[in-house]
Structure formats: structure tokens, C-alpha cells
Amino acid sequence: MPEPKPEPYDVITMGRIGVDLYPLQIGVPLARVETFGKFLGGSPSNVAVAAARLGRRTAVVTRTGRDAFGDYLRHQLREFGVDDRWATPVDAYPTPITFCEVFPPDDFPLYFYRHPKAPDLEIRTEELDLDAIRSARVFWATGTGLCAEPSRTSTLAALRARGRSGITVFDLDWRPMFWGEATADAATPPGAAVAPNGIGRAPDPHGRLSDASDQVPGASARVPDTSGRVTHAATRYREALALATVAVGNPDECAIATGESEPYAAARALIAAGVELAVVKRGPAGVLAVHRDGTVTDVPPLPVEVVNGLGAGDAFGGALCHGLLKGWETARIMRYANAAGAIVASRLSCSSAMPFPHEVEAVLTEGAVTAHRTGAAP
């Protein structure tokens, strides 16, 4: 009697993982911080955690170092209900760590330690379980996965294996300092610093390139490309967008992928690039979603007292997957994802701060993230 086919995963994510070492003292510069908390980190790993918290069967395809931090991350994935079978160790490189500073409401500098190379960029095509990726109800890939080989080829192979079936999400996830790993001879672009010792510092909460048009409503940003790094990334992003059904990013990330940062123009450009649904996250301005069928959804933010905004986008991503799998109409999905993100913004950590369904529903009922909702996770 033939073995029954394994149950498909609700969500498989692929890409970055690492240890977040976040200060337990808010508003204190890193040089003066004395106590830190240790958490699972890395955007696609956090998205898998967020979807698992909402009841989804999830797994992450990633790599760690063969070290104690790698063991810690696999243990944390299992604790959060995320299948870690494809989170395997690499001998050559240490598990990455990330520090941040916490200056609410909108200043959260990140310091990435991912050199000489992050293990999660060592994912190889021949190691992928393409049958599992193909059958997953949602597959989530990120822009960071395109920044270096062999991860770039593997990410595109996984996307091609999907054949635009089911829900295939491409998270633009623009981190300029990571692309330095792929173009080491390139000059440092505006807004990102890569020190001689290989430590990358993100200049703002999202590790993004910025220019003055970020602050001008309706402006269309063309990010200066003094190194050729943006042009290289844009080419790779176009390959991925042609293979995806959903694109998610903030205006700066959209500018990298499409040349457009004005939300409506950016969404239209993402649709033109091949996706069915374009989601533009606008932080304090809310979220815009545009579908190829012409449906436009513009959802305002929920009031929240921000503690640490770093994990909000990952919570949004996990909730987006959940809502898409539920088959909800777009406006409901965006409201739900907004609420999940707001809850995490009201908490210090990322992975352990991901909300449960009853917490999201309570916030939607109340119309704001209130103080008694912020302490449910460390």
C-alpha cells in the first residue's frame, strides 16, 4: 500500500534567521545598555512564528551556524510551533546576531553581524524539498534571499517550482547592507554603513535607503545608485515578482523594485511586474492594497503606543498569510494584519511578541492597542 502524501504546510517561509539581542533598557544608547534579552529573529522566520501563533502549520527553510546559537534558534522554532526540519546547520559560518537600540516611537537602529557571510545565504537548490514548497498553501520568499549566491539561485528555483500556484508571496525586504555581501567592491550607498570589519548598521528601523522624498506626500523617490547596487537588486526583484502572486513592501522598498515610492503608483507598478495583489505598508499612514481586478483597499492605522516597531511588519506578514488562507475579503485581511502589527509594535521583542487570535480580535473590537493588551508577551 503506497504511503499517503504528507499534509501540505499552510505556510513555508524561506530566508533569514538569527539571534536578536535586544536591550531591556528603553531609551538607552547601546554603549550604555547593561542588560539584553535573547530572541529568535530574522524576518521570514518571524513570519513563520506569527502565522503559527494564529494556528497555521508552518515551516522555515533556512540555515544557521553549527554552534550554540544555531541550537538555540532551532529550539525556539520548535517552541513556537514552527517545523525546523529545514533549518539546518552550516559548518563554515557562525549564526548571525543582531543588536538594536530602542528609542520610541520611531528610532530603532539595527546592527547586523552577518560576516564573513550569513549561513542563511548558503541555501542550495539541491537541498530544497521542492515537493513540499510546491504543495504549501502559502510560500513566502524575501528580497534578502536574492542578495548572494547560492541563496539567489535557490530562492528563484523555489519560486519557479511554485508555478504561480497557490499563494506565492514576495516580501521586498530591502536591506542595502546585505547586498554588499554580493557586491563587495561596490561603494557604500547613501544611508547604509558597512564597516571594514563587516558589521552592517541599518540607518533606520527598516534598514532602508532613504531620501528626502520619504517625507513628501505624493513624491516619487528615485534612490541614488552610486554603487550599482540598487540596479543589481532591481533586476533580481523583477525576476522574483514575475514568479509571485503577492508582493509586500514599504514605499522605499517599492522604489527599489519598481522605481516608484508613491503608494498608488508603486502598487500599480508591482501589479504590472506580475503579481495579483500588491500590498504597500505605510507605517503611521496605514496600508494600501491593490488587486489586479481593480479593487483598492486603503486601511488607516490603529492607535498604538509604540515600544519597538521592529517586528510589526513580520506580524503583519504572518497575519496576511492567515487572512489570505481564510479567504477573507481584502479589507478585512488588511485590518487584521494591521492589528497584529500594532500589537507587536507595543511590545519589546519580535518573535515572542507575536499575537494570538484572541488578542488580534480584541484589538479590532476596541479599535486601538490599549495598555492592558501590551503585556501578553515579553
Side-chain angles (χ1 to χ4, degrees), residues 85-168:
R85 71 181 63 193
W86 299 305
T88 55
V90 169
D91 289 323
Y93 304 111
T95 300
I97 61 173
T98 302
F99 289 90
C100 79
E101 294 174 303
V102 181
F103 296 106
D106 58 4
D107 187 17
F108 311 102
L110 281 166
Y111 299 81
F112 294 98
Y113 292 73
R114 287 172 58 87
H115 288 297
K117 186 180 185 181
D120 53 59
L121 295 176
E122 283 291 294
I123 301 171
R124 299 179 181 275
T125 304
E126 62 269 21
E127 298 168 345
L128 296 176
D129 186 339
L130 292 177
D131 288 338
I133 289 171
R134 193 178 293 114
S135 66
R137 298 174 69 195
V138 176
F139 177 66
W140 181 288
T142 75
T144 295
L146 303 177
C147 77
E149 293 290 3
S151 174
R152 178 186 305 128
T153 295
S154 300
T155 298
L156 292 172
L159 288 169
R160 289 191 187 98
R162 296 281 293 172
R164 293 177 57 85
S165 63
I167 300 164
T168 303

Side-chain angles (χ1 to χ4, degrees), residues 302 316 334-344 355 360-361 363-364 369:
L302 281 168
F316 181 99
M334 296 304 128
R335 287 193 298 270
Y336 193 93
N338 251 358
I343 290 169
V344 173
V360 181
E361 294 295 345
V363 164
L364 287 170
V369 181

Side-chain angles (χ1 to χ4, degrees), residues 23-375:
L24 300 182
Q25 297 159 274
I26 295 172
V28 178
L30 200 57
R32 290 170 42 208
V33 172
E34 295 182 354
T35 56
F36 295 85
K38 181 177 65 173
F39 308 101
L40 179 147
S43 180
S45 300
N46 280 335
V47 169
V49 170
R53 277 275 170 95
L54 296 173
R56 296 298 172 179
R57 182 170 181 253
T58 72
V60 60
V61 181
T62 189
R63 300 291 180 265
T64 71
R66 193 179 295 277
D67 51 31
F69 278 147
D71 293 342
Y72 163 77
L73 292 173
R74 280 182 289 279
H75 173 76
Q76 284 294 286
L77 287 171
R78 294 190 295 270
E79 286 288 300
F80 288 126
V82 178
D83 195 324
D84 72 330
R85 71 181 63 193
W86 299 305
T88 55
V90 169
D91 289 323
Y93 304 111
T95 300
I97 61 173
T98 302
F99 289 90
C100 79
E101 294 174 303
V102 181
F103 296 106
D106 58 4
D107 187 17
F108 311 102
L110 281 166
Y111 299 81
F112 294 98
Y113 292 73
R114 287 172 58 87
H115 288 297
K117 186 180 185 181
D120 53 59
L121 295 176
E122 283 291 294
I123 301 171
R124 299 179 181 275
T125 304
E126 62 269 21
E127 298 168 345
L128 296 176
D129 186 339
L130 292 177
D131 288 338
I133 289 171
R134 193 178 293 114
S135 66
R137 298 174 69 195
V138 176
F139 177 66
W140 181 288
T142 75
T144 295
L146 303 177
C147 77
E149 293 290 3
S151 174
R152 178 186 305 128
T153 295
S154 300
T155 298
L156 292 172
L159 288 169
R160 289 191 187 98
R162 296 281 293 172
R164 293 177 57 85
S165 63
I167 300 164
T168 303
V169 184
F170 181 58
D171 178 3
L172 301 181
D173 186 38
W174 171 242
R175 303 279 185 174
M177 69 292 301
F178 296 169
W179 287 79
E181 299 173 25
T183 54
D185 58 343
T188 301
V194 180
N197 61 4
I199 298 168
R201 179 187 186 277
D204 72 3
H206 308 286
R208 315 177 299 197
L209 286 178
S210 302
D211 68 14
S213 64
D214 292 344
Q215 283 76 47
V216 181
S220 180
R222 300 281 177 171
V223 178
D225 192 13
T226 59
S227 69
R229 191 176 311 200
V230 172
T231 301
H232 178 59
T235 300
R236 302 305 182 183
Y237 276 36
R238 284 193 294 271
E239 291 181 68
L241 287 167
L243 300 167
T245 62
V246 180
V248 182
N250 60 47
D252 294 327
E253 292 168 332
C254 291
I256 300 299
T258 70
E260 299 289 350
S261 68
E262 191 282 318
Y264 287 90
R268 289 192 294 270
L270 291 169
I271 296 291
V275 303
E276 299 298 311
L277 177 65
V279 180
V280 183
K281 299 181 292 184
R282 298 181 292 164
V287 61
L288 171 71
V290 177
H291 196 279
R292 182 174 292 276
D293 66 9
T295 304
V296 176
T297 303
D298 196 342
V299 175
L302 281 168
V304 58
E305 185 175 339
V306 174
V307 173
N308 184 356
L310 292 175
D314 301 336
F316 181 99
L320 172 67
C321 294
H322 179 67
L324 289 169
L325 288 171
K326 282 282 193 180
W328 293 338
E329 52 95 20
T330 303
R332 182 178 179 184
I333 296 171
M334 296 304 128
R335 287 193 298 270
Y336 193 93
N338 251 358
I343 290 169
V344 173
S346 74
R347 298 170 175 174
L348 178 62
S349 67
C350 295
S351 53
S352 60
M354 297 301 169
F356 293 95
H358 71 274
E359 295 177 294
V360 181
E361 294 295 345
V363 164
L364 287 170
T365 299
E366 295 173 8
V369 181
T370 53
H372 72 279
R373 297 284 171 207
T374 66

